[in-house]
Amino acid sequence: MSKSNLAPKMAITTEYHNQKVYDSYRYMENLKDSIFLNWVKEQETQTKEALNSISNRKILLYKISSLDKKNTATFSLLKITDNNTHFYLKKK
């Protein structure tokens, strides 16, 4: 990734309970921020260019789609432990 692809940093400080918190990317929470929107549009353009440059892309997409349709599963139970570990039981 070249440096130009990196999201711009902004010096934003917010104080919570007398504690200063620095967040260089806080502006991204504002989905109407012009700097953020321009960066997202640049990312979209670069992503489309990269994806469109893949040779035999249509064949690859068809293969991925075919494999994805084969891999379906239904889970009947989800158990979340006290330490936030997730256990899934697959329906037979």
Side-chain angles (χ1 to χ4, degrees):
M1 180 185 302
S2 69
K3 194 168 180 83
S4 64
N5 291 344
L6 299 176
K9 291 183 177 183
M10 296 182 152
I12 298 174
T13 304
T14 308
E15 191 168 321
Y16 300 101
H17 308 285
N18 298 320
Q19 179 69 42
K20 291 185 179 182
V21 177
Y22 302 94
D23 185 347
S24 301
Y25 302 103
R26 175 89 186 254
Y27 71 97
M28 290 181 163
E29 294 176 10
N30 177 2
L31 300 180
K32 294 180 181 179
D33 182 276
S34 62
I35 294 172
F36 173 62
L37 290 175
N38 289 333
W39 178 77
V40 169
K41 287 176 187 174
E42 290 172 10
Q43 295 303 300
E44 178 188 22
T45 300
Q46 292 174 7
T47 300
K48 283 181 179 180
E49 288 173 1
L51 291 174
N52 289 334
S53 72
I54 297 172
S55 61
N56 297 319
R57 182 171 179 252
K58 287 185 181 181
I59 295 169
L60 180 61
L61 289 174
Y62 176 78
K63 182 69 174 173
I64 291 169
S65 176
S66 298
L67 292 171
D68 188 48
K69 288 177 185 172
K70 290 180 182 179
N71 293 321
T72 60
T74 303
F75 296 94
S76 59
L77 178 67
L78 166 63
K79 181 177 180 178
I80 303 172
T81 63
D82 291 338
N83 66 352
N84 206 26
T85 302
H86 292 63
F87 293 96
Y88 297 91
L89 296 178
K90 188 174 180 182
K91 203 176 205 179
K92 294 181 181 181

